[in-house]
Amino acid sequence: MTKLPETTVAQLKAAYGKIAAARDIVLATHENPDADGIGAMLAFALYLNAARKRVTVWGSGMIPRHLSFLPGFPLLTERFPKRLPDLVVAFDYGSRVRLRLEKVGAEHIPLIGFDHHPPDNAHHTEDENTLALVDVSFSSSSEMAYYFFVTNDIAITQDMATCLYAGIVHDTGGFSHSNTSPRTFAAASALAALGVDIERAAKRLLGLPSYAAAHVAGLALSRMTLDKATGVAYSYLGPDDLAATGTTWDDADTIVHLMNDINAPEVSCIILFKNRGTGVISASFRSDAERRFDARKLAQIFGGGGHVYAAGAKIEGELHEVIASVLDQAKRGNFAV
């Protein structure tokens, strides 16, 4: 096994102790979850079910349908248990407020967090009820979960391996992002050896989820506009676009990754604006290690966050106003990494 720092090993063992002592456990991730949070949660759910724990796999917001191939996917529920759990184990949440625990009266429940987002939020400060395992050197919370199982001598089944492998593939962009390390490859190799269908996982996670999704992707790509003053290339989608192509917002998830695959020296940052018709625009920001544009810094101006090269924000306003405001901030600031 790849050798982990002693402090990391100690934290992973401490987390195991708290999980082993709990009987009622809720697994959680950020609202509108992705393959990393869901993959880690489902792997833990399969393990905890086998350990005869009472487990709720809580997913709030839009659950991506293309992840239905993951073992345990039907366990996902939007209903928080009426009886409060002994422990919440959270994954990939970035900021504790994104778990929405206060909505269900569970904000004071003891929490263990597995997170690979930069430690710039209040939830990273431990107290007697919180054990936050935060390490940006991991590619994903699924990679962290893999090393949790290995460190604590917990057997990983083929189904668990599929879930963890999916989370790693998603957050590394198929092992193409700069967050991919030799340790990531070691974890992926070990998981693959347990019988993961690598081809199926890659197509489900990196490809377009449906025939209709190809049409809405083409529409977004055809609208791409380059702001020459900032190097920001952006596009947008609205509810009418989805209605015209027979798609859902779930189908649009991979579009920003397609946009970010453009190799052009004049492009510094990619942004996809999603107008859901609610008065709040969801903006997805992407860059990479070659462009060296701090997408997270730009997203943070609008109350968002994420990683240096992959971030997001929800911005109130009309679409054209939001686009103009983001481009204006991109002109004003220094976003070099």
Side-chain angles (χ1 to χ4, degrees):
M1 185 190 81
T2 301
K3 187 173 179 59
L4 298 174
E6 291 183 6
T7 53
T8 302
V9 170
Q11 281 194 314
L12 292 173
K13 289 185 175 181
Y16 173 77
K18 291 179 178 293
I19 291 170
R23 176 60 184 159
D24 244 327
I25 299 174
V26 167
L27 305 176
T29 184
H30 60 79
E31 193 176 28
N32 302 320
D34 58 27
D36 182 28
I38 290 176
M41 281 201 303
L42 293 180
F44 260 76
L46 296 171
Y47 152 62
L48 293 172
N49 279 335
R52 300 183 180 277
K53 304 286 187 181
R54 282 194 295 267
V55 183
T56 299
V57 189
W58 186 47
S60 59
M62 185 175 66
I63 307 298
R65 294 173 301 159
H66 67 278
L67 298 180
S68 61
F69 78 100
L70 293 177
F73 187 82
L75 295 173
L76 284 162
T77 178
E78 293 187 11
R79 294 185 178 181
F80 199 90
K82 292 182 179 179
R83 176 180 174 177
L84 291 180
D86 306 322
L87 179 68
V88 173
V89 183
F91 305 88
D92 193 44
Y93 50 110
S95 171
R96 186 162 180 159
V97 296
R98 296 185 72 200
L99 295 173
R100 301 293 188 258
L101 291 173
E102 71 282 354
K103 286 188 174 182
V104 292
E107 65 269 31
H108 300 302
I109 299 296
L111 182 141
I112 295 174
F114 291 85
D115 202 0
H116 65 121
H117 290 84
D120 56 356
N121 296 294
H123 83 280
H124 294 301
T125 301
E126 288 190 28
D127 56 36
E128 61 182 5
N129 282 327
T130 303
L131 174 60
L133 288 78
V134 182
D135 191 334
V136 298
S137 72
F138 285 101
S139 68
S140 54
S141 61
S142 292
E143 183 185 332
M144 294 182 73
Y146 165 79
Y147 284 105
F148 167 84
F149 293 130
V150 172
T151 298
N152 292 296
D153 297 319
I154 298 167
I156 300 175
T157 66
Q158 181 178 350
D159 285 348
M160 291 166 63
T162 297
C163 295
L164 296 174
Y165 185 86
I168 293 172
V169 168
H170 176 272
D171 264 28
T172 60
F175 309 103
S176 66
H177 296 338
S178 59
N179 62 347
T180 308
S181 70
R183 187 173 62 192
T184 308
F185 281 117
S189 177
L191 293 169
L194 293 172
V196 175
D197 188 335
I198 294 173
E199 181 179 8
R200 185 186 189 206
K203 287 185 176 179
R204 292 294 186 96
L205 293 159
L206 304 175
L208 293 166
S210 67
Y211 180 77
H215 285 268
V216 77
L219 182 60
L221 291 173
S222 71
R223 287 176 176 165
M224 281 191 69
T225 302
L226 175 64
D227 181 66
K228 294 182 179 180
T230 60
V232 172
Y234 65 92
S235 187
Y236 61 90
L237 288 171
D240 291 343
D241 301 322
L242 273 64
T245 54
T247 53
T248 66
W249 287 113
D250 186 26
D251 293 318
D253 279 350
T254 59
I255 294 174
V256 71
H257 302 297
L258 293 174
M259 294 169 62
N260 201 34
D261 282 339
I262 295 172
N263 293 312
E266 65 271 26
V267 175
S268 61
C269 181
I270 297 290
I271 307 176
L272 178 63
F273 296 95
K274 291 177 281 188
N275 176 17
R276 302 178 189 269
T278 62
V280 178
I281 308 300
S282 297
S284 298
F285 304 79
R286 296 291 185 273
S287 187
D288 56 40
E290 186 173 357
R291 296 187 180 113
R292 303 194 66 79
F293 183 98
D294 194 334
R296 182 183 62 189
K297 185 176 179 181
L298 182 55
Q300 286 176 330
I301 294 174
F302 298 93
H307 302 282
V308 172
Y309 299 129
K314 294 182 179 179
I315 310 169
E316 292 187 9
E318 297 297 323
L319 178 64
H320 67 281
E321 296 172 344
V322 169
I323 293 175
S325 179
V326 171
L327 293 177
D328 181 60
Q329 289 295 334
K331 292 175 185 176
R332 292 170 179 263
N334 178 10
F335 299 95
V337 176

